[in-house]
Amino acid sequence: MRAIDLSMVRVMIADDHPMMREGIANTLVAHGAFDIVARASDGRDAVALYDSTRPDVALIDLQMPDMDGLEAIREIRSRHPDARLIVLSTYSGDARIAAALKAGARTYMMKHVHGAELAATVREVHEGWHVLPPTMRQEIAAQYTGSPPSCRELDVLRLASVGKSNREIAALLSISEATVKAHMSTLLMKLGAADRAHAVALASKRGFIDL
C-alpha cells in the first residue's frame, strides 16, 4: 500500500469555463491539502501561467480556445520536461486518450469523476506515478482495431461529415474520386463501420475527428 503524503500540492487548473475552474478548485480543496496557484482560461494562458507559477501538478482541458490542450501540454513539456500534467476532459475516446498520453500527460480523466478519486489521482501524479483509470484502459483495449486512420483518410472523413460528396471531396483535396472512394472503403474497414455516416459517428466517438 502506498504511503499517504499529506504535504500541500500546488495545482494549476486550465479550463475555458470559469464555473468549471472554480468547481474543480473547490472539489480539490475540499478533499485534501491542495493550493490552487493558477487558473488559466485557454492554452496559451496555461503555458504562461505554468512558466510563472511552476505548479506541482496541472489539470488541463483539451477543448480550449487560442491554443488547445494538446498543444499546451506539448509546449509545457518542451519547456519543463518534468511537468506533471493531467488531462481532465468532457470527452473520452481511445484516440484522444492516446494523443494526450503521447503529448506528455500522466493520465486522462473525465470531468464527472468523483472528488475523492480526482484528489487521490492528483496526489499520485504529484508523487511521480503514471495513473490511467481502469475505464480508460478498457476503452483503449475495446476500441483497438489495428492500424488507425491515416491523416489523409481523416481529411476525407471530415469533409464527408459536413455533407461533401465524393466529387467535392476530390476537388478540395486535389485527388481523384476513385482515391476518395478507396480512402472511404479503408476507413470503413479500420473503424468497423457499416457506411460513411456510421464511420463519422464512430470516428467522433473515438476522438479521431471533432464534429
Side-chain angles (χ1 to χ4, degrees):
M1 185 174 179
R2 298 174 189 171
I4 298 175
D5 180 1
L6 297 179
S7 62
M8 188 70 73
V9 179
R10 302 172 66 257
V11 178
M12 181 183 83
I13 300 167
D15 194 292
D16 59 325
H17 297 288
M19 290 184 65
M20 183 61 69
R21 291 196 299 272
E22 291 309 308
I24 295 168
N26 292 338
T27 296
L28 285 176
V29 171
H31 284 85
F34 299 99
D35 180 17
I36 312 304
V37 298
R39 294 169 171 83
S41 58
D42 59 50
R44 211 167 293 282
D45 194 24
V47 174
L49 284 172
Y50 192 98
D51 283 344
S52 63
T53 63
R54 296 299 300 273
D56 297 317
V57 179
L59 300 172
I60 300 178
D61 185 24
L62 292 184
Q63 303 294 324
M64 293 190 291
D66 196 13
M67 175 189 285
D68 67 27
L70 281 180
E71 291 179 276
I73 288 170
R74 294 188 189 102
E75 185 63 25
I76 290 171
R77 284 297 303 272
S78 72
R79 301 181 186 202
H80 309 283
D82 59 343
R84 294 174 181 182
L85 312 175
I86 296 173
V87 168
L88 194 58
S89 179
T90 306
Y91 305 98
S92 60
D94 58 317
R96 290 189 186 92
I97 298 167
L101 298 180
K102 184 177 180 181
R106 291 291 183 104
T107 189
Y108 191 111
M109 303 189 76
M110 302 299 292
K111 288 182 178 179
H112 60 248
V113 66
H114 292 300
E117 183 180 352
L118 176 61
T121 300
V122 172
R123 180 69 64 180
E124 288 179 320
V125 168
H126 171 52
E127 292 171 355
W129 297 89
H130 288 73
V131 186
L132 192 62
T135 52
M136 299 291 102
R137 294 197 298 268
Q138 290 165 6
E139 185 160 356
I140 292 175
Q143 295 292 346
Y144 185 75
T145 58
S147 300
S150 68
C151 291
R152 179 57 89 183
E153 289 162 357
L154 291 177
D155 287 340
V156 168
L157 195 60
R158 289 187 188 95
L159 291 171
S161 74
V162 294
K164 299 297 183 183
S165 66
N166 286 348
R167 178 176 294 182
E168 290 172 320
I169 294 171
L172 288 167
L173 297 180
S174 300
I175 56 179
S176 69
E177 283 190 65
T179 300
V180 172
K181 291 178 181 177
H183 283 319
M184 189 58 69
S185 177
T186 302
L187 275 165
L188 296 182
M189 179 182 66
K190 286 183 176 180
L191 295 172
D195 52 39
R196 68 166 59 195
H198 190 204
V200 168
L202 288 174
S204 175
K205 180 180 178 181
R206 294 181 59 184
F208 288 117
I209 62 173
D210 293 316
L211 298 181

